[in-house]
Amino acid sequence: MKKKVAFYTLGCKLNFSETSTIARGFEDEGFQRVDFSEMADMYVINTCSVTENADKRFKNIVKQAQKVNPDAFVAAIGCYAQLKPEQLAAVDGVDLVLGATEKFKITDYINDLSKNDFGEIHSCEIEDADFYVGSYAIGDRTRAFLKVQDGCDYKCTYCTIPLARGISRSDTLQNVLDNAAEISAQGIKEIVLTGVNIGDYGKGEFGNKKHEHTFLDLVKALDTVEGIHRLRISSIEPNLLKNETIDFVSKSNTFVPHFHIPLQSGSDAILKLMRRRYLTNLYIDRVAQIRRTMPDACIGVDVIVGFPGETNEHFLETYHFLNELDISYLHVFTYSERDNTVAAEMEGVVPKNVRNKRSKMLRGLSVKKRRAFYESQIGTHRTVLFEGENKEGYIHGFTENYVKVRTPWDPALVNTLCDIRLTEIDEEGMVRFEFVASEVSL
């Protein structure tokens, strides 16, 4: 009988890509992968340091696993496991905690899967996390997350990621291209590029700080890979999103007109406290360049509310800045204190209720922005890639410029690219359409 292993992933696309690669390693060792809700011999939880109440969520997930199988071996890996290994090891039922460099060698640390009396810790000093492990995630059959870079050399005052993942380092260009070809050979139509700071791509590619290739080199090379229909850039820092990259994407065969660009604050005073590497003027320039070259592009923005020192005036500055900016949606994060960060020691702490109120205001603005963007797309011809899930009788998909559409469930549409014309926004805020051609000729 094959041993069974189940995985639970918290956090970002990067974590999902790494879980997927680790899971394939287990399959190579003869394990059978099952869903986390099923009976398994081992449960692996890939943790996140950005999640608020990370320890509370972790405890609940461990309880879920123990409910299904009280005798199962439980392992914690990922960012929170690197930052707070003792805390996770002390959770009842946890047998193994692996830090940043050990997680990819997890099968080396398990023997007979018998429970430990105490959580065993194997974690490194983060300075040792200086080598690169490539990975990609295949979830549903329509989209894959391809990791191209890891770690970060930035010193933003609120962020623990450099402490959890180490220095900035990259996959070799050839390896990225090989992985992309491998993904497309499996019939997957869209690849999302992911990393901690993907605009920093090239640094550490051959174990040194010199950039052998740039992010633009990567984009140009991926555009030539046979069999890829869509490439999407995930989050990229505004100072690293160069105009040359924007111009190339606008003329690309496969890169889609969708950008997600962290802003974090619309106040220059707060950006300086955060030690971000740009001010609002540069951000305005990047958005303007995208709009000049791709008027219908979707532009998403990350923003943090309630950072220490953020007064009502600073917040309103951010609100008005975003309100006037030609963007499509927001990801709003409520600031929460993180141990061993500069911001945690700063004065001007914003009360929790004020943080929540500001968050609610920006979430409301995001709804308005997304609605306006969707309305601007009604009547346009687009290509939609349909996903694989039946959600309450509907099949969903995304256009190249990230408009979410739906139509009554039809299994024949799963993983197809279709030409459509957007017609109206429905009561759920999603866009309806009519088919122009059933499947795009590829």
Side-chain angles (χ1 to χ4, degrees):
M1 284 287 287
K2 278 187 171 185
K3 294 278 189 193
K4 292 179 179 176
V5 61
F7 296 85
Y8 196 108
T9 306
L10 290 159
C12 61
K13 294 182 179 81
L14 181 55
N15 267 9
F16 279 93
S17 77
E18 291 180 342
T19 298
S20 202
T21 295
I22 291 164
R24 288 195 292 277
F26 270 92
E27 286 164 4
D28 292 344
E29 295 283 336
F31 281 78
Q32 179 189 344
R33 184 177 182 178
V34 297
D35 191 79
F36 201 81
S37 61
E38 293 177 46
M39 185 79 168
D41 300 287
M42 180 173 181
Y43 294 90
V44 180
I45 304 163
N46 194 354
T47 62
C48 172
S49 64
V50 178
T51 319
E52 190 153 20
N53 301 323
D55 54 338
K56 193 174 163 189
R57 286 201 66 189
F58 177 77
K59 283 174 188 167
N60 287 337
I61 296 158
V62 173
K63 275 181 191 160
Q64 279 176 45
Q66 288 185 305
K67 229 179 240 180
V68 184
N69 182 5
D71 300 321
F73 190 90
V74 177
I77 61 172
C79 292
Y80 208 68
Q82 174 64 34
L83 291 172
K84 304 270 179 142
E86 289 84 6
Q87 205 167 307
L88 296 192
V91 172
D92 190 38
V94 172
D95 300 290
L96 180 67
V97 179
L98 298 181
T101 61
E102 289 79 14
K103 61 188 172 189
F104 292 104
K105 302 177 285 192
I106 183 170
T107 54
D108 295 347
Y109 289 98
I110 54 177
N111 299 313
D112 58 357
L113 295 184
S114 55
K115 299 289 287 173
N116 291 328
D117 293 335
F118 303 101
E120 194 178 300
I121 297 171
H122 296 276
S123 73
C124 64
E125 293 300 320
I126 199 59
E127 291 76 18
D128 297 336
D130 58 358
F131 57 90
Y132 186 85
V133 179
S135 56
Y136 62 82
I138 296 171
D140 54 36
R141 291 187 300 131
T142 60
R143 184 183 295 121
F145 301 134
L146 172 58
K147 175 182 165 185
V148 300
Q149 183 274 342
D150 200 352
C152 188
D153 292 340
Y154 286 11
K155 299 288 187 284
C156 300
T157 53
Y158 52 83
C159 187
T160 57
I161 288 172
L163 301 174
R165 284 189 168 270
I167 59 170
S168 179
R169 54 211 189 272
S170 309
D171 207 346
T172 63
L173 185 59
Q174 191 54 54
N175 202 42
V176 174
L177 298 178
D178 291 346
N179 281 341
E182 212 173 285
I183 292 166
S184 68
Q186 296 180 54
I188 289 162
K189 303 273 202 304
E190 180 173 308
I191 294 175
V192 183
L193 303 185
T194 186
V196 174
N197 188 359
I198 64 172
D200 209 21
Y201 176 80
K203 191 184 280 184
E205 189 182 350
F206 294 105
N208 55 34
K209 282 294 175 190
K210 185 167 164 279
H211 273 67
E212 303 293 335
H213 295 98
T214 63
F215 185 68
L216 180 59
D217 293 335
L218 174 72
V219 166
K220 285 180 173 177
L222 280 167
D223 204 42
T224 66
V225 175
E226 289 287 318
I228 300 177
H229 305 299
R230 277 186 179 180
L231 283 156
R232 202 177 289 276
I233 298 168
S234 65
S235 185
I236 182 166
E237 293 285 305
N239 52 304
L240 296 174
L241 177 59
K242 306 296 185 190
N243 285 344
E244 296 86 349
T245 304
I246 295 169
D247 294 344
F248 182 80
V249 169
S250 72
K251 303 179 187 83
S252 159
N253 302 314
T254 48
F255 278 90
V256 294
H258 175 208
F259 295 88
H260 193 93
I261 315 167
L263 168 68
Q264 311 308 16
S265 176
S267 161
D268 284 344
I270 299 298
L271 288 175
K272 286 173 185 173
L273 285 176
M274 290 176 166
R275 290 190 199 153
R276 300 292 286 159
R277 297 198 177 193
Y278 54 85
L279 296 174
T280 50
N281 274 346
L282 181 134
Y283 201 93
I284 290 166
D285 288 348
R286 292 295 180 268
V287 171
Q289 182 67 13
I290 293 168
R291 288 283 167 243
R292 267 194 298 274
T293 55
M294 292 166 273
D296 290 323
C298 181
I299 304 174
V301 181
D302 285 341
V303 61
I304 296 170
V305 296
F307 188 78
E310 184 186 67
T311 61
N312 279 331
E313 289 72 26
H314 292 136
F315 171 71
L316 288 173
E317 213 179 325
T318 294
Y319 187 94
H320 294 309
F321 180 80
L322 290 165
N323 191 34
E324 288 160 25
L325 207 58
D326 191 0
I327 54 162
S328 315
Y329 65 90
L330 304 172
H331 278 174
V332 184
F333 298 90
T334 305
Y335 172 77
S336 63
E337 287 75 5
R338 292 283 179 267
D339 289 345
N340 302 314
T341 59
V342 174
E345 308 300 319
M346 285 182 176
E347 294 177 357
V349 173
V350 178
K352 290 271 173 73
N353 64 323
V354 176
R355 297 183 209 183
N356 293 338
K357 184 181 169 190
R358 290 174 185 175
S359 175
K360 198 172 174 184
M361 282 178 71
L362 283 185
R363 286 177 208 277
L365 179 61
S366 181
V367 170
K368 186 180 117 179
K369 286 284 183 183
R370 195 185 294 270
R371 177 87 188 191
F373 175 61
Y374 282 5
E375 283 173 354
S376 76
Q377 297 304 297
I378 299 301
T380 61
H381 285 247
R382 295 283 166 230
T383 305
V384 64
L385 174 58
F386 286 105
E387 301 193 337
E389 203 179 336
N390 182 342
K391 291 184 181 173
E392 296 173 357
Y394 287 94
I395 188 169
H396 294 77
F398 285 94
T399 64
E400 62 273 39
N401 62 340
Y402 213 56
V403 173
K404 191 172 188 180
V405 304
R406 68 173 183 166
T407 197
W409 172 254
D410 178 355
L413 290 175
V414 172
N415 199 31
T416 62
L417 281 161
C418 299
D419 280 336
I420 60 168
R421 189 177 76 85
L422 305 179
T423 55
E424 62 177 334
I425 301 172
D426 68 18
E427 67 283 356
E428 298 285 324
M430 276 170 266
V431 180
R432 299 301 186 96
F433 59 88
E434 57 190 25
F435 286 101
V436 176
S438 53
E439 183 159 9
V440 177
S441 51
L442 299 167

